[in-house]
Amino acid sequence: MTSEKKETLLIVEDDLDIADMLNAYFRVQGYEVITVNWGEDGVSTCQNTPPDLVILDIRLPDIDGFEVARQLRSNRRTQSIPIIFLTAHSDKATLERAIAVSPSGYLLKPFKERELMTNIEMSLHKHRIKQKVREEVHPEALSELGKKIEAIPLPVVLLSGTGTIREINQVAATLAGFQRQELLGRPVY
């Protein structure tokens, strides 16, 4: 890890043996770790204290991991938190449901610790880059298209092919309750 602040991982896993093993492993790796065993607890933990990344089982005792991910993606405070599914299920229907909530990773149990660490490190790195880009966007750095969109007195949003906000004028951002810079690069769900 390259940052001074310890990054926080939330593990949402109902198998206590796996949860304990992951907790111990990630603490040794230098992460802060929060572990919950129920999907609803995962959602409320993320909303109260957003972690840097969520490791999420799909089959949970209350709501499934897909519903946890859907709720996180639909909340502006938690929508950009990277999610890695950790599951024993690899059937087509499960994979399609996972893809629908845009996880950062999908690992099958049993897994190798190195594979999981690689997924976590890559997901966190990608997330940090996205945050940095969002923070560095300034009005004076608008593209030519962005300048034209900003001049339109009606709300305008331009999406990328992946469903993220490529350009947005301040009129649209104000309607959403944000500053323009806060929304650039964010996914739309």
Side-chain angles (χ1 to χ4, degrees), residues 78-89:
T78 60
Q79 67 186 5
S80 65
I81 297 172
I83 297 170
I84 297 177
F85 283 118
L86 188 59
T87 184
H89 304 279

Side-chain angles (χ1 to χ4, degrees), residues 95-120:
L95 291 172
E96 287 173 356
R97 289 184 70 196
I99 289 168
V101 292
S102 302
S104 297
Y106 190 98
L107 283 175
L108 294 174
K109 296 175 188 173
F111 56 89
K112 293 184 173 137
E113 285 147 354
R114 189 69 232 152
E115 291 172 341
L116 182 56
M117 275 306 298
T118 300
N119 268 270
I120 288 169

Side-chain angles (χ1 to χ4, degrees), residues 63-80:
I63 60 173
D64 65 27
F66 303 122
E67 180 59 20
V68 172
R70 190 195 65 71
Q71 288 184 34
L72 295 178
R73 294 290 186 245
S74 68
N75 182 306
R76 72 177 183 205
R77 183 166 181 185
T78 60
Q79 67 186 5
S80 65

Side-chain angles (χ1 to χ4, degrees), residues 11-12 19 27 66-68 111 113 126 130 133 159 170 181-182 186:
I11 300 168
V12 185
R27 285 187 187 283
F66 303 122
E67 180 59 20
V68 172
F111 56 89
E113 285 147 354
K126 184 177 174 183
K130 284 181 176 180
V133 167
L159 301 178
Q170 189 56 50
Q181 297 86 346
E182 294 177 279
R186 286 201 167 196

